[in-house]
Amino acid sequence: MAGIDSKDIHKIIVACDAGMGSSVMLASQLRKQLKDSGVTVEHTPVDSIPDDADVVLCHAGLAARARAAAPGKALVPFQIFLGDPAVARLVNAIKSGGVVDA
């Protein structure tokens, strides 16, 4: 997938290996940052990504598993759970409009 228009993003899934810990922190941070955007943020194990996800955020090391679990979904891999530029670009695109590279 080349990208997704920010107006088409309604649900973001933060996926990690077990669906707890780091992904919970990132999902909480994103909920706060996007609270007035109408975008839902949830966290799940990478192998249990729901079908209604529009964007999947996951650590780069889990990207292949996320692609297998959610083929065709926009995938934004990141390197660090807090303060990663890929996550910041996603938030900025949702807030200001535009296309999210995924």
Side-chain angles (χ1 to χ4, degrees):
M1 180 172 250
I4 183 171
D5 193 303
S6 61
K7 69 179 178 4
D8 295 327
I9 299 173
H10 305 288
K11 186 173 190 176
I12 297 172
I13 296 297
V14 180
C16 73
D17 206 19
M20 298 183 290
S22 302
S23 66
V24 173
M25 289 188 315
L26 179 56
S28 177
Q29 179 187 42
L30 285 172
R31 274 188 215 100
K32 289 177 188 172
Q33 293 175 342
L34 299 172
K35 69 178 179 177
D36 296 324
S37 69
V39 175
T40 302
V41 180
E42 296 178 4
H43 58 89
T44 68
V46 71
D47 297 319
S48 301
I49 297 167
D51 290 337
D52 63 345
D54 297 308
V55 175
V56 177
L57 273 170
C58 71
H59 189 273
L62 297 175
R65 284 175 58 194
R67 281 195 212 300
K73 300 292 182 186
L75 178 66
V76 178
F78 58 85
Q79 294 294 326
I80 54 176
F81 278 91
L82 299 176
D84 192 283
V87 176
R89 283 192 297 274
L90 174 63
V91 170
N92 289 337
I94 291 169
K95 287 183 173 182
S96 58
V99 174
V100 175
D101 292 327

